Amino acid sequence: MESARIGILYVALGAALWGIIGLFTRFLYSSGLSPMQITLTRCLVALAVMTATILVMDRKLFRIDPKDIWMFIGTGLFSIVFFNVMYFTTQQMVSLSIASVLLYTAPCFVMIMSMFLFKERITRLKILALILAFAGCVFSAGIGSEELNIGILFGILAGFGYALYSIFSKFALKKYSLVTILFYTFLIASLCLLPFCEPMTMVDLCNDTEIILNILGLGIISTVLPYYFYTKGLKSMDAGKASIIAFVEPMVATILSLMIGDPFGISNVIGIVLILGSVILLSRGTENADAA
């Protein structure tokens, strides 16, 4: 019982750390870094930490079968790069809370892709969850606001990219440890981003101590630590329960959004409730399936 409670604390802490990511990204954006450059800094810091971790734990964790590189191209390029750029762009166009909630459309994309890739059934519960998520996106967008609607589109694309990580990592976890997956994910993501990020401009900007601190905060506090705590918590509970506890993330983002004065209305509240409701349904469906 005690280990289960500690597991809940770990998952909630990891989700909360993901929820404050906007604190770092908005400052870096206002300091002149583009969403792509911010993504690169996040990946480089995470890569450095994962490299040090493997050197300390076991250097054999660096080994992979060359024919499996497609898995890490999937997690690194098609998920991390695409998802982060879309997500950070969304945070510049809508409030932090809405951006975070839109990210939680990812389970719906996972459900659809899993039907074709892993032969998972689409149930009535899953269809209802999709409808709720779609309605939530409409309410979150705000009728008649063209600029906000564009931001919502980027947010949905971020959710799709986030979902791709679950798909590709599901293949990778069959053969490799989480540490190995994260190392090659951030390595490939960094290599793909580097040619498009004007490295010399980034070096000049990083002469500012405050920018460096925010980069480290983004890479360690809102990337490495959340992955560690969330994964550690998963050891003492099922994934469905963990995903429900992870609702702490959009809740923290909402509180943060209100604290910094982002606009927030009743339609946004309805959208948040609908989208979170869809994820709860998906999580319950997963738990019921496991129980069966």
Side-chain angles (χ1 to χ4, degrees), residues 32-50:
L33 290 170
S34 69
M36 192 169 289
Q37 289 174 325
I38 293 173
T39 302
L40 176 59
T41 61
R42 184 185 194 189
C43 291
L44 287 175
V45 173
L47 176 61
V49 173
M50 298 316 300

Side-chain angles (χ1 to χ4, degrees), residues 151-180:
I152 295 299
L153 174 60
F154 281 113
I156 294 174
L157 289 174
F160 175 71
Y162 190 52
L164 289 178
Y165 185 85
S166 297
I167 298 298
F168 284 108
S169 63
K170 188 168 184 177
F171 287 108
L173 282 168
K174 294 177 180 178
K175 296 184 63 175
Y176 303 103
S177 71
L178 176 63
V179 175
T180 300

Side-chain angles (χ1 to χ4, degrees), residues 60-196:
K60 292 181 180 178
L61 292 172
F62 284 121
R63 298 177 183 174
I64 63 169
D65 189 330
K67 70 180 181 181
D68 293 331
I69 194 66
W70 66 270
M71 301 177 185
F72 307 109
I73 292 176
T75 57
L77 174 59
F78 295 121
S79 180
I80 295 296
V81 173
F82 179 74
F83 142 61
N84 277 276
V85 172
M86 292 296 101
Y87 188 45
F88 295 156
T89 300
T90 303
Q91 288 183 332
Q92 311 313 314
M93 304 181 73
V94 301
S95 68
L96 299 181
S97 58
I98 295 176
S100 179
V101 170
L102 287 172
L103 193 61
Y104 271 69
T105 58
C108 298
F109 291 115
V110 172
M111 180 190 74
I112 295 172
M113 288 186 283
S114 295
M115 179 182 67
F116 296 101
L117 296 174
F118 308 119
K119 308 304 179 183
E120 296 180 3
R121 292 188 306 116
I122 288 189
T123 63
R124 296 179 190 175
L125 193 66
K126 292 179 179 179
I127 293 174
L128 177 58
L130 278 176
I131 295 173
L132 286 177
F134 178 78
C137 291
V138 173
F139 276 101
S140 294
I143 299 173
S145 175
E146 181 180 352
E147 181 180 357
L148 191 56
N149 284 332
I150 295 174
I152 295 299
L153 174 60
F154 281 113
I156 294 174
L157 289 174
F160 175 71
Y162 190 52
L164 289 178
Y165 185 85
S166 297
I167 298 298
F168 284 108
S169 63
K170 188 168 184 177
F171 287 108
L173 282 168
K174 294 177 180 178
K175 296 184 63 175
Y176 303 103
S177 71
L178 176 63
V179 175
T180 300
I181 294 171
L182 291 177
F183 170 78
Y184 282 101
T185 293
F186 289 116
L187 174 63
I188 289 177
S190 298
L191 292 175
C192 291
L193 285 165
L194 196 59
F196 306 99

